[in-house]
Amino acid sequence: MALRTAGSVLVVFLWSVAVVLGQDGWSVFYTTQSICALKGSSVDLTCSFSYPRGHKVTSSFWFTKMETGVEPKDLGQDPENAGRLEYHGDKKKDCTLRITDLRERDSATYKFRFTTDQTRGRYYGHPGVTLSVTALQVKVTPINRSERRTLTCRTTSCPLTGNPTYTWYKNGQIVTEKTSTYSVLPNAKDSYSCAVKGHEDLHSPAVCVQGQSCKRVTYNKMRICVLKGSTVDISCTYVGYYSTTSTFWFRSDKSTPEDLTTDPGYAGRVEYTGTYRGPFTLRITDLREEDSAEYRFTFKTNNFEWGHSFPGTTLSVTGNTAQHIIQC
C-alpha cells in the first residue's frame, strides 16, 4: 500500500455505531460508519480485520469505487492523494487509515480490502465508512440596515455534533469565543469570520456585515508548494477605507509582526508589488527550505489596524522534485 506513515492529526467530529460484517472467520470492523470532518483537517478511518487461521495477508488497501468485474483501485496509487494518506495498520489486524489536508472532493464511502495467500482469499468490508468533508461559513441576518445583525457560524454540508466552541474574528482579530451565533451592531465597515476552537487555521471566509464592502484581507491562495531555489509570489487583496499608513508581510511564527523587508534572513530576496485593493504581492526569490512558513499581510490607517490573528498563506519549500511530489 503506497502510503505514508504517521503524522499529527486534528480532532474531527463524528457519529456512528460500530459495524462488524463477515462470515466464516472473515470480517472487517469499522469503528464509525459516518464521519463529518472539516475541510483542511485530518481524519482517522479506524478499522480492524480478521481472517481464518493459516492465511497470510499479501496485500491490503482502501478504495472508494467498485464496479462489477473490475478490481478496485488502491487510493494510495492515486496522484491526487500523494502525501495525504497515512496507513496506520499492521497488515495483520489493524487497517486504520489517516487522511490529511481534507478536501471536499474526498467526500465518499471508503472500504477496506485485503488478500491472503490462500485460494479465493479475498475480502472487503461492507458497507464501509462514509466521509463527508465540510467547510465553515457565516450567515448574516437580518438584512434590514437599522437592526442588529445575528451572525451564525455553520457548516456547508454535514452538521458538527456535540457542542463545539467557536472563535469569532472581527477585521482579522480574535474578539470572542462563544457559541455558533454572535450579535453585532449594523456597522457596514466591519468583516467577520468564525472557526471551531482548536481549528483556528480552518476559519470561514470573512463576510461583510452589510453589503459586499468592508475591511478585509483576502488571500489568493491558502497553500503554496514550490521548489528550493525558485521564486514565489504570495498575493492578497485588501480594503481599508482610510489612507493607508503602512503595509507589510510577516511570518506568523514571529512573536511580534516583523516586516520581511527588514529581516536579515530575507535581505535582497524580498520585494513588494501592488497597490490599494491590489493584488498586493510578496515576492521571495532564491527560496530556501527554512522559508517554509505561514505568511500574513497587515496594513494600518490612522484609526485602524488589520488584525494579526487571521490565518494567511502557508508556503512549503521542498529540496527536490521527489520531495515536492510527496509533500505537495
Side-chain angles (χ1 to χ4, degrees):
M1 194 169 190
L3 306 179
R4 289 195 293 140
T5 54
S8 60
V9 64
L10 296 175
V11 176
V12 295
F13 305 88
L14 44 90
W15 68 96
S16 179
V17 293
V19 176
V20 181
L21 290 170
Q23 57 187 9
D24 301 326
W26 300 87
S27 69
V28 174
F29 174 89
Y30 300 110
T31 305
T32 54
Q33 189 175 356
S34 299
I35 299 178
C36 178
L38 289 174
K39 178 182 178 182
S41 70
S42 299
V43 67
D44 283 344
L45 307 186
T46 307
C47 165
S48 62
F49 64 106
S50 63
Y51 44 89
R53 288 185 178 183
H55 289 243
K56 181 179 179 181
V57 176
T58 56
S59 68
S60 59
F61 61 89
W62 286 80
F63 66 96
T64 58
K65 297 178 181 179
M66 190 170 189
E67 301 177 26
T68 302
V70 179
E71 184 70 14
K73 293 184 179 179
D74 182 353
L75 286 175
Q77 302 298 326
D78 188 338
E80 287 194 2
N81 296 325
R84 299 196 303 120
L85 300 186
E86 301 170 358
Y87 185 54
H88 287 213
D90 56 11
K91 296 187 178 181
K92 294 181 180 180
K93 293 182 179 180
D94 189 352
C95 46
T96 299
L97 175 71
R98 177 172 295 172
I99 309 175
T100 62
D101 188 21
L102 283 169
R103 303 160 187 177
E104 290 179 303
R105 64 174 177 269
D106 291 329
S107 296
T109 297
Y110 291 75
K111 299 177 182 179
F112 177 74
R113 178 181 176 86
F114 66 97
T115 302
T116 71
D117 58 353
Q118 302 295 314
T119 303
R120 299 172 66 99
R122 296 182 178 183
Y123 191 84
Y124 77 90
H126 182 79
V129 181
T130 299
L131 171 66
S132 300
V133 181
T134 187
L136 293 175
Q137 64 178 196
V138 175
K139 180 181 179 181
V140 183
T141 54
I143 58 174
N144 188 302
R145 288 178 175 270
S146 64
E147 297 182 42
R148 289 183 66 90
R149 302 289 180 268
T150 296
L151 309 181
T152 302
C153 187
R154 62 182 187 178
T155 54
T156 56
S157 54
C158 56
L160 303 180
T161 56
N163 296 298
T165 300
Y166 293 82
T167 299
W168 285 93
Y169 298 84
K170 176 182 178 181
N171 299 328
Q173 185 66 48
I174 293 177
V175 289
T176 187
E177 292 177 355
K178 55 182 301 180
T179 61
S180 60
T181 59
Y182 183 37
S183 180
V184 301
L185 293 172
N187 187 333
K189 301 301 182 184
D190 291 325
S191 66
Y192 288 86
S193 178
C194 68
V196 173
K197 185 173 175 56
H199 299 264
E200 283 78 3
D201 58 330
L202 306 177
H203 64 93
S204 71
V207 299
C208 302
V209 174
Q210 202 171 79
Q212 295 300 314
S213 297
C214 59
K215 302 170 186 173
R216 58 179 165 181
V217 171
T218 304
Y219 296 92
N220 290 14
K221 294 182 179 179
M222 298 306 294
R223 296 177 184 273
I224 299 177
C225 297
V226 291
L227 292 174
K228 177 182 177 181
S230 63
T231 296
V232 67
D233 285 344
I234 303 175
S235 300
C236 72
T237 56
Y238 70 100
V239 182
Y241 290 104
Y242 303 100
S243 297
T244 302
T245 58
S246 72
T247 57
F248 65 88
W249 290 85
F250 64 96
R251 286 176 61 131
S252 65
D253 55 1
K254 299 289 185 178
S255 56
T256 57
E258 176 184 344
D259 187 344
L260 285 177
T261 60
T262 66
D263 188 332
Y266 291 86
R269 299 193 300 122
V270 168
E271 177 186 3
Y272 296 161
T273 62
T275 58
Y276 178 64
R277 299 198 184 188
F280 193 86
T281 301
L282 161 66
R283 172 168 292 176
I284 309 175
T285 60
D286 188 23
L287 283 166
R288 306 163 185 174
E289 291 184 70
E290 56 265 31
D291 293 333
S292 296
E294 180 192 57
Y295 293 85
R296 300 179 183 178
F297 174 80
T298 189
F299 66 97
K300 296 181 181 179
T301 68
N302 290 326
N303 59 357
F304 169 77
E305 179 177 359
W306 178 258
H308 300 146
S309 58
F310 211 59
T313 297
T314 298
L315 172 67
S316 297
V317 182
T318 61
N320 57 54
T321 303
Q323 287 181 333
H324 184 258
I325 293 173
I326 294 174
Q327 296 180 14
C328 302

